[in-house]
């Protein structure tokens, strides 16, 4: 180096490569000669090393016989990689030479030289001198050489390079080219290459760099690789991904709650009347209960709003969501599960993946449930994970007949009197989760038997049974006995039949807006008494009264016949005419039979008048609607005078006629074209109003219910079943070491065991109460009574002692 510097006219001071490198970066044009010399030295060292490798001068361990050669080679490779951006023309071929050297001689290179050359190539890629697509296959090959340091270096470089490439914007064409390289490696039979490709894809997918359908499907398809290690790695990633997502969401929620200066509060709408009653009406205890009820309602509403907002934001994600052929994936994996000879843990992983796919995509895989039925035993290994998979595979599109044998197996094996409390609690929780998804599996007799476990002394069992009661109070209260129903929101609620679907024909919540508009219209009608629509509203009220009267007559039995056959002299409290005179005179002493005949004739006349006027009302309605309304009102006024009808058929005919008239009026009113104000198009204000009305409705429901709401089928499918929730409140069995640790922990603050005499002798202080009783002075009468009582007891013992036979009996 000194001779070359003197030949170039510079001072002959010795310069190291580091100092020369810094000077070349400052003045690139002034050091082109030195660059050429170093580049030639690199080529010479490279040729010399390749010749030594060809002549087999390298040992079997891969360490070169002459250490100075690979040290010079590594130093000059590092030097040239640093100065290449300043001499792009002179060193245009250097990156290709370095990559070709690694590709051809990587396995025979010593570990130190291999790492230095790889770092030099990484430096060139980071400075955009080499494209990552040209060297990706090389770096994937370097990860399979068995060198841990090199493997970590190459893997980290690949991940960071692809992340940096997609940081600002994504180049789909370039990403697709890189993905094709990794996908081809993943499909190869070579286990080492396929494993490194799978690990790289999983890491990029977990970091949400390649967060697309192609990557997710390739990872899922790795479950069918010929190597069991690749299959296990893919299954582990798919099962653990949701746990990673849950932890990330929890951390993000916590951090956003701490760092956000303006946190968003959930909108809770509670009526002012409920708040006023909770603070101002009733006793102290009742107000305390009302306040607690309000707090429960507010908490439940906030929880529901938070869950709905999370669902709207679509934070949930799983690689299973991007499966192109979910049914084919589940069937292929299930067929492999049936024929594989893997260990039990691997079979459980495959079973969980199948169940998760079936539940998330709501697939129909009928052979899966009999396969699960073979393993449903309380003593089965990992039984809670197995039961969680069974719950996950149940949804409303599966025929109940296909799941019923598995359901009965769970009931018979876990829930019986000879089973352990832990097994009963887990079984009841599993039954509740399955019935939450398929309520048609439960029948009345089975439910009433299971509900009896609410009286169990085991906390876990009683809680599980009460949760089952709470579920069926919402789903189907008719299956419960009367004392277990409580106060359900909908007493006539029933589960949907198999295949039944509710089709939404309008905007959700628009009926609340229509009810609000109807209430406003009713208020305006009440203010304007001359409006014709007021008559229709009154007619509807009379219609409802008639319906109640008919239902009361059906339930009450012989109401009107009893009135017609009433005894003489019955008094009707409500029969008052318009002028205020009583219909029956209680003070009249004679002529009771005549009064009865007169009343009967009046009732007959009234019934005839009602029939005639109703017939006229029907004719008038066909001709003139306004006359029909007036006559109906007149009929209602005339029938309001007397409540007693002698002819029951006539009353039913009157109610039926008024119902028909009002139905016709309602249909005609609905057939009217909408006004310009309600043209069927909702504005932003209407949607905001619907949101507020929905919040008020939820508040009313939350005040009436105890905080439980049956989730929808979509929410249940997206939700991952955690096995730990099936054994909640179940105390785990302690081994001998844990039991001894608890015993020793209880003895820490206690003295060693001693006899009672030793404790008495060591006692300090006064006498005990028993000792004081012996020394207490007794009255003379009490002493005499005590002596007499003891004397009688002694005589009784003596008299009984002579009659006792203590010998051996001589007879049988």
């Amino acid at each position: 180096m000194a001779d070359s510097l003197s030949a170039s006219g510079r001072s002959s001071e010795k310069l190291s490569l580091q100092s020369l490198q810094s000077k070349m970066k400052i003045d690139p044009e002034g050091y082109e000669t030195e660059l050429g010399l170093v580049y030639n030295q690199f080529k010479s060292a490279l040729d010399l090393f390749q010749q030594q490798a060809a002549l087999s001068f390298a040992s079997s361990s891969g360490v070169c016989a002459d250490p100075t050669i690979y040290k010079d080679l590594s130093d000059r490779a590092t030097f040239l990689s640093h100065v290449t951006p300043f001499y792009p023309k002179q060193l245009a071929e250097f990156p290709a030479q370095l990559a070709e050297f690694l590709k051809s001689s990587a396995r025979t290179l010593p570990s130190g030289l291999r790492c230095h050359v790889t770092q030099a190539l990484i430096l060139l890629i980071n400075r955009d001198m080499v494209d990552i697509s040209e060297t990706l296959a090389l770096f994937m090959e370097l990860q399979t050489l068995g060198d841990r340091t090199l493997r970590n270096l190459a893997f980290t470089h690949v991940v960071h390079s692809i992340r940096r490439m997609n940081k600002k914007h994504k180049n789909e064409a370039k990403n697709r080219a890189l993905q094709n390289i990794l996908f081809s490696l993943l499909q190869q039979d070579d286990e080492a290459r396929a494993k490194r490709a799978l690990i790289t894809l999983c890491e990029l997918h977990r970091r949400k760099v390649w967060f697309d359908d192609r990557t997710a499907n390739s990872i899922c398809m790795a479950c069918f690789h010929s190597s069991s290690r690749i299959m296990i790695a893919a299954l582990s990633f798919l099962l653990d991904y949701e746990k990673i997502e849950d932890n990330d969401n929890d951390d993000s929620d916590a951090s956003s709650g701490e760092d956000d200066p303006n946190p968003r509060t959930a909108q809770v709408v509670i009526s002012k009347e409920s708040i006023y009653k909770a603070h101002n009406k009733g006793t102290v205890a009742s107000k305390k209960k009302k306040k607690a009820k309000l707090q429960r309602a507010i908490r439940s509403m906030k929880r529901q709003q938070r869950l709905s907002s999370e669902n709207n934001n679509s934070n949930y994600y799983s690689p299973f969501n991007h499966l192109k052929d979910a049914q084919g994936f589940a069937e292929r994996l299930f067929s492999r599960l049936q024929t594989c000879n893997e260990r039990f843990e691997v079979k459980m992983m495959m079973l969980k993946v199948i169940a998760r796919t079936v539940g998330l995509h709501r697939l129909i895989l009928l052979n899966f449930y009999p396969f699960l039925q073979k393993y449903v035993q309380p003593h089965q290994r990992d039984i809670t994970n197995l039961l969680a998979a069974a719950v996950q595979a149940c949804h409303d599109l599966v025929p109940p007949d296909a799941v019923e044998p598995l359901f009965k197996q769970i009931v018979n094996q876990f829930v019986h009197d000879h089973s352990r409390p832990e097994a009963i609690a887990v079984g009841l929780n599993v039954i509740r989760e399955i019935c939450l998804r398929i309520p048609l599996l439960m029948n009345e007799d089975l439910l009433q038997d299971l509900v009896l476990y609410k009286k169990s002394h085991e906390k876990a069992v009683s809680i599980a049974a009460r949760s089952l009661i709470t579920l069926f109070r919402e789903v189907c209260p008719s299956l419960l006995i009367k004392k277990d129903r409580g106060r359900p929101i909908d007493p006539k609620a029933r589960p949907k039949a198999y295949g039944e679907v509710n089709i939404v024909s309008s905007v959700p919540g628009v009926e609340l807006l229509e009810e609000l508009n109807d209430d406003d219209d009713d208020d305006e009608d009440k203010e304007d008494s001359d409006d014709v629509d007021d008559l229709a509203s009154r007619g509807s009220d009379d219609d409802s009264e008639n319906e109640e009267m008919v239902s009361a007559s059906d339930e009450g039995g012989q109401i009107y016949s009893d009135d017609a056959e009433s005894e003489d002299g019955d008094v009707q409290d409500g029969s008052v005419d318009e002028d205020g005179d009583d219909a029956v005179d209680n003070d009249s002493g004679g002529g009771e039979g005549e009064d009865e005949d007169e009343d009967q004739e009046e009732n007959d006349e009234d019934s005839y008048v009602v029939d005639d006027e109703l017939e006229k009302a029907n004719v008038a309605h066909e001709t003139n609607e306004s006359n029909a309304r007036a006559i109906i009102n007149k009929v209602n006024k005339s029938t309001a005078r007397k409540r007693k009808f002698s002819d029951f058929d006539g009353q039913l005919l009157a109610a039926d006629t008024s119902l028909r008239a009002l139905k016709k009026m309602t249909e005609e009113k609905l057939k009217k074209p909408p006004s310009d104000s309600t043209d069927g198009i909702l504005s932003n204000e209407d949607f905001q109003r619907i949101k507020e009305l929905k919040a008020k409705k939820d508040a009313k429901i939350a005040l009436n219910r105890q905080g439980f709401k049956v989730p929808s089928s979509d929410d249940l499918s997206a939700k991952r079943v955690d096995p730990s929730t099936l054994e909640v409140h179940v105390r785990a069995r302690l081994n001998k070491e844990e039991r001894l640790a608890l015993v020793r922990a209880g003895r820490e603050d206690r003295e060693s065991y001693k006899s009672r005499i030793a404790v008495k002798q060591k006692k300090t202080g006064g006498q005990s109460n028993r000792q004081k009783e012996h020394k207490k002075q007794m009255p003379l009468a009490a002493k005499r009574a005590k002596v007499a009582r003891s004397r009688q007891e002694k005589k009784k013992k003596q008299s009984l002692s002579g009659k006792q036979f203590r010998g051996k009996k001589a007879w049988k």
Side-chain angles (χ1 to χ4, degrees):
M1 181 70 68
D3 297 336
S4 62
L5 288 176
S6 62
S8 61
R10 301 181 184 276
S11 60
S12 60
E13 60 178 352
K14 288 186 177 181
L15 292 176
S16 62
L17 288 176
Q18 288 81 5
S19 60
L20 181 62
Q21 173 184 325
S22 61
K23 290 185 177 183
M24 292 176 72
K25 290 180 179 179
I26 296 172
D27 186 14
E29 297 177 358
Y31 290 89
E32 292 183 357
T33 306
E34 287 79 0
L35 175 67
L37 292 174
V38 176
Y39 190 28
N40 292 330
Q41 291 175 5
F42 168 75
K43 290 180 180 179
S44 302
L46 185 61
D47 293 339
L48 182 59
F49 183 84
Q50 289 177 349
Q51 290 175 7
Q52 286 185 353
L55 294 173
S56 301
F57 281 113
S59 63
S60 60
S61 61
V63 178
C64 183
D66 191 1
T68 58
I69 296 177
Y70 69 77
K71 187 175 186 311
D72 293 340
L73 185 60
S74 63
D75 291 342
R76 276 147 183 79
T78 305
F79 173 81
L80 291 175
S81 64
H82 278 280
V83 299
T84 299
F86 301 95
Y87 301 97
K89 294 181 180 180
Q90 291 84 348
L91 299 176
E93 299 178 358
F94 173 70
Q97 292 176 352
L98 207 60
E100 184 64 28
F101 173 61
L102 269 178
K103 189 180 298 183
S104 60
S105 306
R107 294 189 179 275
T108 59
L109 289 176
S111 177
L113 177 59
R114 195 163 47 203
C115 288
H116 283 116
V117 176
T118 305
Q119 288 174 350
L121 187 58
I122 289 174
L123 184 60
L124 293 173
I125 296 173
N126 292 339
R127 296 189 176 183
D128 297 331
M129 303 304 296
V130 184
D131 193 3
I132 181 64
S133 59
E134 299 176 2
T135 57
L136 179 61
L138 173 61
F139 280 101
M140 297 304 299
E141 183 70 24
L142 292 175
Q143 297 181 40
T144 62
L145 297 180
D147 189 351
R148 180 177 297 179
T149 306
L150 183 65
R151 182 172 64 243
N152 295 333
L153 180 64
F155 173 73
T156 307
H157 163 68
V158 170
V159 173
H160 288 179
S161 297
I162 298 176
R163 284 186 65 189
R164 188 173 62 253
M165 182 182 69
N166 293 278
K167 191 171 184 180
K168 294 183 179 179
H169 63 278
K170 291 190 176 183
N171 189 348
E172 294 297 336
K174 198 171 183 179
N175 283 327
R176 191 173 292 271
L178 297 176
Q179 287 174 353
N180 290 334
I181 296 173
L182 292 178
F183 294 166
S184 62
L185 291 174
L186 183 60
Q187 294 173 1
Q188 292 181 6
D189 293 335
D190 189 359
E191 182 178 330
R193 294 179 180 176
K195 183 178 180 182
R196 298 314 305 176
L198 177 62
I199 292 174
T200 305
L201 286 172
C202 292
E203 182 67 17
L204 291 170
H205 191 74
R206 187 185 67 82
R207 292 175 178 267
K208 298 184 179 180
V209 179
W210 285 351
F211 208 59
D212 53 352
D213 300 352
R214 299 185 74 222
T215 307
N217 275 278
S218 65
I219 295 173
C220 293
M221 290 300 112
C223 297
F224 307 114
H225 198 274
S226 58
S227 174
S228 60
R229 296 180 63 185
I230 305 299
M231 179 190 69
I232 293 170
L235 293 173
S236 301
F237 174 76
L238 293 175
L239 291 175
D240 295 338
Y241 188 87
E242 296 179 350
K243 297 180 182 179
I244 295 171
E245 285 291 309
D246 294 341
N247 295 332
D248 292 343
N249 291 334
D250 295 340
D251 297 340
S252 62
D253 293 340
S255 62
S256 62
E258 294 174 359
D259 300 336
D260 193 3
N262 297 320
R264 291 174 294 177
T265 57
Q267 183 182 5
V268 180
V269 181
I270 301 294
S271 63
K272 295 181 180 179
E273 183 181 0
S274 301
I275 298 174
Y276 178 78
K277 287 181 179 180
H279 290 83
N280 298 299
K281 283 194 174 184
T283 61
V284 176
S286 64
K287 285 192 286 187
K288 186 177 180 181
K289 291 180 181 179
K290 292 173 186 176
K291 290 178 183 178
K293 189 176 182 180
L294 276 178
Q295 293 298 325
R296 286 199 305 270
I298 290 172
R299 284 197 299 270
S300 65
M301 289 181 61
K302 285 183 178 180
R303 183 169 61 251
Q304 294 296 333
Q305 290 176 1
R306 185 175 66 252
L307 292 175
S308 63
S309 64
E310 289 178 358
N311 294 335
N312 293 333
N313 294 336
S314 300
N315 290 330
Y316 174 79
Y317 173 78
S318 173
F320 297 115
N321 290 342
H322 289 310
L323 279 172
K324 294 179 180 178
D325 185 12
Q327 184 72 35
F329 173 80
E331 290 177 355
R332 285 182 62 189
L333 193 59
F334 181 59
S335 63
R336 183 166 184 174
L337 172 63
Q338 290 177 314
T339 57
C340 73
N341 295 322
E342 301 289 341
R343 61 184 189 273
F344 179 75
E345 292 84 354
V346 180
K347 288 185 177 181
M348 280 298 301
M349 293 171 68
M350 298 173 69
L351 194 141
K352 288 179 188 178
V353 170
I354 295 170
R356 189 74 187 98
T357 309
V358 170
L360 185 60
H361 293 274
R362 302 170 77 182
L363 308 176
I364 296 178
L365 195 64
L366 300 181
N367 295 332
F368 184 61
Y369 306 100
F371 181 82
L372 288 174
Q373 189 176 349
K374 299 186 298 183
Y375 296 97
V376 176
Q377 300 288 340
H379 59 272
Q380 176 65 43
R381 182 180 173 188
D382 291 339
I383 184 62
T384 52
N385 292 325
L386 188 71
L387 293 175
V391 171
Q392 189 74 69
C394 295
H395 53 85
D396 54 348
L397 298 183
V398 179
D401 298 338
V403 191
E404 188 175 4
L406 174 64
F407 184 75
K408 289 183 178 180
Q409 177 83 357
I410 294 172
V411 174
N412 295 332
Q413 293 292 332
F414 285 85
V415 188
H416 55 84
D417 294 337
H418 298 287
S419 182
R420 292 183 292 126
E422 297 86 356
I424 296 175
V426 171
L428 289 174
N429 288 328
V430 173
I431 291 168
R432 182 196 69 234
E433 292 295 331
I434 293 178
C435 291
L436 184 61
R437 291 157 173 79
I438 311 177
L440 297 174
L441 291 172
M442 184 62 69
N443 55 40
E444 187 174 357
D445 297 335
L446 177 60
L447 180 60
Q448 291 180 6
D449 291 341
L450 297 176
V451 161
L452 294 178
Y453 282 96
K454 69 180 181 180
K455 299 180 181 179
S456 174
H457 296 290
E458 293 289 336
K459 181 180 178 182
V461 177
S462 62
I463 289 176
R466 292 180 188 277
S467 66
L468 196 62
I469 295 173
T470 306
L471 171 64
F472 277 92
R473 281 179 180 175
E474 300 290 335
V475 175
C476 189
S478 59
L479 294 180
L480 295 168
I481 59 177
K482 187 175 181 181
K483 67 177 182 179
D484 290 333
R485 291 175 190 171
R487 294 182 182 178
I489 300 299
D490 186 6
K492 296 182 180 180
R494 64 171 186 83
K496 292 181 182 179
Y498 177 67
E500 181 181 353
V501 180
N502 293 332
I503 300 175
V504 179
S505 59
S506 62
V507 178
V510 73
E511 65 277 1
L512 301 175
L513 196 62
E514 293 176 356
E515 291 176 2
L516 182 65
N517 295 332
D518 293 340
D519 294 340
D520 295 341
D521 294 339
D522 293 340
D523 294 338
E524 293 177 359
D525 294 341
K526 289 179 182 178
E527 294 176 0
D528 189 6
S529 60
D530 296 335
D531 196 3
V532 181
D533 293 337
D534 189 20
L535 296 174
S537 64
R538 292 178 184 173
S540 63
D541 294 338
D542 297 334
D543 187 8
S544 62
E545 290 178 2
N546 291 331
E547 290 179 357
E548 292 176 2
M549 192 165 16
V550 172
S551 62
S553 65
D554 294 337
E555 293 174 1
Q558 304 293 331
I559 296 176
Y560 298 100
S561 62
D562 293 342
D563 291 338
E565 297 175 359
S566 60
E567 295 181 356
D568 298 338
D570 289 344
V571 179
Q572 297 180 3
D573 296 334
S575 57
V576 179
D577 57 5
E578 293 178 352
D579 298 333
D581 298 332
D582 293 341
V584 179
D585 191 3
N586 295 330
D587 296 335
S588 61
E592 293 178 355
E594 296 175 357
D595 293 337
E596 183 179 358
D597 295 336
E598 292 175 359
D599 292 340
Q600 185 69 28
E601 291 174 359
E602 289 177 0
N603 290 331
D604 295 338
E605 292 175 359
D606 290 338
S607 63
Y608 292 143
V609 170
V610 168
D611 295 337
D612 294 338
E613 291 183 352
L614 283 171
E615 291 176 0
K616 293 178 182 179
N618 290 329
V619 175
H621 176 70
E622 296 175 358
T623 57
N624 192 348
E625 183 180 339
S626 61
N627 294 332
R629 291 172 180 166
I631 293 173
I632 288 172
N633 290 330
K634 184 177 179 182
V635 170
N636 291 331
K637 289 182 180 179
S638 63
T639 54
R641 293 182 182 180
K642 291 183 180 290
R643 298 180 183 176
K644 189 174 179 182
F645 286 86
S646 60
D647 188 7
F648 184 64
D649 295 333
Q651 183 205 1
L652 290 178
L653 179 62
D656 189 24
T657 307
S658 63
L659 282 172
R660 289 177 191 169
L662 288 171
K663 285 179 181 178
K664 289 180 180 180
M665 290 163 56
T666 307
E667 290 176 359
E668 292 179 1
K669 188 174 181 181
L670 291 174
K671 288 179 181 179
K672 292 181 180 180
S675 60
D676 296 336
S677 60
T678 58
D679 55 354
I681 299 175
L682 300 178
S683 62
N684 293 333
E685 291 79 7
D686 294 334
F687 283 106
Q688 186 66 26
R689 189 62 178 157
I690 288 173
K691 189 175 181 181
E692 294 175 359
L693 293 173
K694 209 170 184 181
K696 287 184 180 180
K697 185 179 179 181
D698 293 341
K700 290 182 181 179
I701 295 175
L703 284 172
N704 293 330
R705 70 169 75 241
Q706 296 299 322
F708 177 76
K709 183 179 180 182
V710 179
S712 63
S713 58
D714 295 334
D715 295 338
L716 290 172
S717 298
K719 181 182 177 183
R720 181 178 63 89
V721 179
D722 190 2
S724 61
T725 58
L726 300 179
E727 49 184 3
V728 66
H729 302 295
V730 176
R731 291 186 298 178
R733 282 196 168 187
L734 303 178
N735 53 23
K736 186 175 181 181
E737 290 78 9
E738 292 173 345
R739 291 197 300 270
L740 288 176
L742 287 177
V743 171
R744 294 192 185 97
R747 292 179 180 177
E748 287 181 355
D749 299 333
R750 190 173 59 187
E751 296 180 0
S752 58
Y753 289 101
K754 294 180 181 179
S755 63
R756 294 182 64 184
I757 298 174
V759 173
K760 286 182 179 180
Q761 291 177 353
K762 194 178 178 182
K763 180 181 177 182
T764 58
Q767 296 177 343
S768 64
N769 291 335
R770 183 174 295 180
Q771 292 172 348
K772 291 177 181 178
E773 285 180 0
H774 288 294
K775 294 185 178 181
K776 187 180 290 186
Q777 293 290 337
M778 296 179 64
L780 184 60
K783 287 181 179 180
R784 289 177 179 175
K786 186 176 181 181
V787 171
R789 191 165 53 250
S790 62
R791 189 182 299 119
Q792 290 177 0
E793 290 177 355
K794 190 181 294 184
K795 286 182 179 180
K796 191 174 182 180
K797 286 182 180 180
Q798 290 176 357
S799 62
L800 292 174
S801 62
K803 295 181 180 179
Q804 289 181 354
F805 179 76
R806 299 185 181 276
K808 196 171 184 180
K809 289 185 179 180
W811 66 87
K812 293 184 179 178

